[in-house]
Amino acid sequence: MRRAAGAVIVVAAGLALIASTAQAQGSPDWTPGAVLPDAYVTPPRDARIIPQPKSLRWLPGAFEITPATRIVVGAAAQPEDLYAARDLNEELAAWGAGPLEVMRTPDSTPGGTGPAGTIPTNAIVIGEPALNPLAASLLTQEALPVSRQDPGPEGYVLKVVPTFIVASGADRRGTYYAIQTLRQLIARNGGRLVVRGAEIRDWPSHAIRAVHIVLDSYSDVFHTQLINRIFGRYKFNMLIAEADYVRWDSARGIWHPGGATKSQAAVVVAAARAHLMEPVPLIAMLGHANWLFTNDQNLDLLEMPADQALARFVYNPLNPRTYDVILPILDEAIDLFKPRFLHIGHDEVRNVVPFPWSDEGRRLGFGEVFVRDTLRLYEHLKDRGVGTMMWGDVLLSNEFAPELARLPRDIVMVDWEYHDAARYPSLDRLRAWGFPVLAATWYRHENIADFAREARRAGAAGMVRTTWTGFFGNRGALQSQYQQIYSYLVAADHFWSADQAAPSLNPVEAAARFRADWRWDRAAPQAVPGRPLDLRAVANRSYVDDG
C-alpha cells in the first residue's frame, strides 16, 4: 500500500483511493485524477514454516528446480511411500512447473550413469535410510542421523543445498512430513523456481494430531479438498469423522437427504489414507442420538415419551431392540473405515433431557445404565478387533465416581475443553484414573495453544481439533463458519510444536494463509494501479497515530 508521511491511503471499491489531507496538500506524486501505478500491492506469502520446526538453520544458496530435476525414491518404495513425491509434484503444479520424473534407485541415477549409491546432483532424494541407499549416503555425508530413536517416530530431517535435496524420515510418515515442509520452502526468484537453503531436524510433540469433522452429502467435495490442501500439508495424522447420518444399508428407514452416502464417506476415508491420516468413525450414541429417530423411526427406543420436549435425544439402553438397530450400523462403519478405534460419543447425556427417565432406569441409577451401555458397545467392538474411543465429560461428574472402576482402562477418553486456561485439571484426573487421553479443542486460538501445552505436560496421547459446522452445513462452512476453518492452521502448529506459550498465528494471518492454500494461490505480489480521490470535504476522522 502506498504511504505518505503521516497518512495512509486506503483502497476503496473499484480500486479508487481515499487520500489523506496531508497527501492532497503536499505529496508531489498526488495529482487529482492521476493514476498511481502502485496504489495497492498484494502482500507477500507468509514465509514461516507451519508447523514450526524444532530445529531450523538457514543455509546460503538455494536449490533450483528445473525440468531436468528428478525425484529419487528407493527401489522397493511402495505406493504409500510415493505419496510424498505425489504431493511435491502437486505443489510444483501450483507454481506452474513440473511434474518431475520420479526415479527409483539403485537401478537408476539422475544422469542415467554411475553405480548404485552414487550421490546424485540436481535431485530431490526421498525416503528413509533403510529404504533408499542414496538417502542413507547423503545423510552419512551430512552427518544427519535419522532413526526411530532420533529424531523419533514421525520425525524427519531435511537438507537443501544448491546441488541436492534430501528429505528423510524416521518412518514413512516422517518422510511424508519432510516433503510437506519442503513444499513451504519453494519460491519464485525472478523466473527461477527455487527452494531456500536450509537444514531442518523436526519431530512432533503429540503422537496423535487429529481433526474431527461432521460428514454430510458435501463431504466428498469439501472434506476431500481439506485433506488434500490443508490437513496433509500441515501434518495432521488422524481424521475423526462423525458418521451419524451416513446412509447405512442396515438402517434405510432413517436416511436423511443431507446425509452422506456410503460411497461419499468412502471417498473421504480413501483421501485420508492417501494423506497418511488414520480414519476413525464417530457415531454419537446414548446422548446426541437424534439421528436414530430420523423420519419418525425407532420411536419405541426412546428413553422418554415422544411427546416430551427434546425427547429424541437419548435412547433406552434397557430395550434389547436398541442394539438390534445400533450394532449392525457399527459393523458397517467398521467394514467401511477399517479403523483401529471407533468413537461411541456418550457426551452430555444428561444436559438436554432427564436421564434415566424410565422407572427401571431410575431404579438402577444413571451410572449403572451408562456403564451397561458403554460395556455392551465396548465388548462388541472388541470382538471385531476395534478399540473404543469416547468423550470423557460424564466421567468427570462427581455422581459417576462410584462407577469408574468398571470401565476398561484401554478406552481412549477424549477430554473436550473449549475455554482458555492456564491449567486443565481434567487431564490429570483422567490420566490418574489410568485412561489414555486425547485433549480436544475447538477453534479459539488461545484454547488451542493452552490445551496443547498442558496436554503435553500431562502425558496425553495426543490432540483433537473439533469442528462443529452443524449437521449438513459443510456446503456453506467457508462463509458461515470460517473462523472454525482457518484456525486449523493454528491447531496444526501447536499440536506439532506444543511448547509455544502463545498462539502462533493471529486470526488475520491464519485466515490469509488458509485462503492461499485453499485456492492454491502461489502468485507473486502484484502492483495494482488506482486513482486518488480528494475527500477532504467529507473527512471527519484522522488515521494519523497520535499516540
Side-chain angles (χ1 to χ4, degrees):
M1 181 175 289
R2 178 179 287 272
R3 295 180 182 270
V8 178
I9 299 175
V10 182
V11 178
L15 297 178
L17 300 178
I18 301 172
S20 72
T21 300
Q23 278 190 304
Q25 292 176 341
S27 179
D29 61 357
W30 191 91
T31 303
V35 174
L36 303 179
D38 58 346
Y40 177 73
V41 178
T42 55
R45 295 177 67 246
D46 187 341
R48 285 174 291 181
I49 299 171
I50 301 294
Q52 298 174 65
K54 302 292 192 304
S55 174
L56 166 62
R57 182 166 64 97
W58 296 114
L59 302 177
F63 179 91
E64 182 176 1
I65 297 175
T66 72
T69 304
R70 299 291 182 266
I71 298 173
V72 183
V73 301
Q78 300 301 305
E80 293 85 352
D81 298 309
L82 300 180
Y83 293 162
R86 174 207 63 199
D87 282 15
L88 179 55
N89 270 327
E90 288 180 356
E91 182 69 29
L92 295 177
W95 286 94
L100 302 180
E101 182 181 353
V102 179
M103 306 183 68
R104 293 177 181 267
T105 188
D107 302 312
S108 302
T109 58
T113 59
T118 298
I119 303 298
T121 58
N122 196 21
I124 302 171
V125 182
I126 297 176
E128 303 90 278
L131 184 66
N132 188 335
L134 287 182
S137 297
L138 287 170
L139 295 171
T140 299
Q141 170 187 295
E142 302 298 317
L144 292 173
V146 179
S147 69
R148 295 283 294 182
Q149 292 73 41
D150 182 14
E154 299 190 345
Y156 66 88
V157 295
L158 172 65
K159 186 151 191 178
V160 180
V161 296
T163 53
F164 66 83
I165 296 173
V166 59
S168 186
D171 47 32
R172 178 177 287 153
R173 276 193 176 136
T175 297
Y176 182 74
Y177 297 144
I179 292 301
Q180 305 314 312
T181 297
L182 172 62
R183 294 170 67 180
Q184 299 182 49
L185 300 179
I186 298 173
R188 283 282 180 193
N189 185 352
R192 302 162 61 232
L193 191 63
V194 300
V195 183
R196 185 177 179 183
E199 182 178 290
I200 298 172
R201 190 175 193 82
D202 201 9
W203 61 92
S205 296
H206 287 291
I208 294 176
R209 304 173 302 283
V211 177
H212 158 267
I213 62 171
V214 179
L215 294 176
D216 68 8
S217 60
Y218 193 57
S219 287
D220 56 332
V221 176
F222 180 58
H223 288 129
T224 299
Q225 290 178 347
L226 278 174
I227 291 167
N228 183 42
R229 301 177 187 182
I230 305 297
F231 296 162
R233 179 184 186 86
Y234 291 104
K235 304 183 175 74
F236 288 105
N237 63 3
M238 179 179 283
L239 186 75
I240 301 176
E242 188 144 356
D244 304 344
Y245 287 94
V246 170
R247 300 182 189 179
W248 304 112
D249 294 334
S250 62
R252 291 175 177 268
I254 62 173
W255 282 10
H256 190 286
T261 65
K262 285 180 68 174
S263 61
Q264 288 174 316
V267 168
V268 176
V269 171
R273 292 198 183 280
H275 292 79
L276 300 185
M277 296 183 74
E278 177 182 357
V280 174
L282 187 161
I283 299 178
M285 285 178 282
L286 199 52
H288 288 289
N290 315 62
W291 57 272
L292 188 59
F293 310 109
T294 303
N295 303 324
D296 292 331
Q297 298 295 299
N298 301 314
L299 298 185
D300 60 311
L301 304 183
L302 286 168
E303 166 68 7
M304 56 197 305
D307 60 357
Q308 296 292 316
L310 304 175
R312 301 184 187 193
F313 177 80
V314 62
Y315 59 70
N316 179 5
L318 303 180
N319 185 335
R321 202 181 81 82
T322 294
Y323 302 101
D324 293 340
V325 176
I326 288 176
L327 297 185
I329 292 174
L330 299 189
D331 288 338
E332 284 191 68
I334 292 169
D335 292 341
L336 176 62
F337 281 76
K338 297 179 172 54
R340 282 195 305 150
F341 299 96
L342 189 147
H343 194 310
I344 62 172
H346 280 61
D347 62 318
E348 300 183 316
V349 176
R350 309 188 81 180
N351 290 31
V352 175
V353 297
F355 181 86
W357 175 277
S358 67
D359 292 340
E360 178 64 8
R362 281 182 287 181
R363 185 187 69 79
L364 292 171
F366 170 67
E368 173 65 27
V369 176
F370 184 94
V371 168
R372 283 193 187 188
D373 182 66
T374 302
L375 292 178
R376 179 69 184 271
L377 300 173
Y378 170 88
E379 293 297 340
H380 182 81
L381 295 177
K382 185 177 180 180
D383 288 345
R384 291 293 311 270
V386 175
T388 299
M389 188 179 289
M390 63 187 287
W391 304 115
D393 53 295
V394 168
L395 277 68
L396 297 168
S397 61
N398 290 330
E399 64 182 318
F400 191 77
E403 310 298 338
L404 277 170
R406 299 175 59 192
L407 291 181
R409 277 353 192 219
D410 59 348
I411 297 178
V412 178
M413 293 296 169
V414 184
D415 181 22
W416 57 273
E417 303 285 350
Y418 295 162
H419 60 284
D420 310 339
R423 300 298 298 270
Y424 294 86
S426 54
L427 286 170
D428 291 324
R429 291 176 66 189
L430 291 167
R431 292 282 293 126
W433 292 332
F435 295 104
V437 179
L438 298 178
T441 75
W442 199 4
Y443 65 89
R444 290 182 55 84
H445 292 200
E446 294 82 1
N447 169 235
I448 291 168
D450 294 342
F451 211 9
R453 186 177 59 255
E454 273 295 284
R456 176 170 167 79
R457 178 199 59 78
M463 299 295 301
V464 181
R465 214 331 289 275
T466 62
T467 313
W468 301 106
T469 53
F471 291 94
F472 327 121
N474 290 310
R475 192 174 298 273
L478 290 178
Q479 289 73 43
S480 63
Q481 301 292 334
Y482 193 38
Q483 76 278 17
Q484 290 203 62
I485 306 303
Y486 67 68
S487 57
Y488 287 141
L489 276 64
V490 179
D493 195 15
H494 290 270
F495 291 5
W496 182 273
S497 296
D499 294 333
Q500 303 171 71
S504 53
L505 298 169
N506 66 42
V508 173
E509 294 168 335
R513 186 160 182 144
F514 177 92
R515 183 165 54 249
D517 287 328
W518 181 257
R519 296 175 177 174
W520 289 100
D521 182 5
R522 301 294 184 263
Q526 299 291 323
V528 180
R531 296 180 183 274
L533 297 177
D534 185 353
L535 300 180
R536 285 175 293 178
V538 296
N540 58 14
R541 183 173 181 85
S542 171
Y543 282 88
V544 176
D545 184 359
D546 60 4

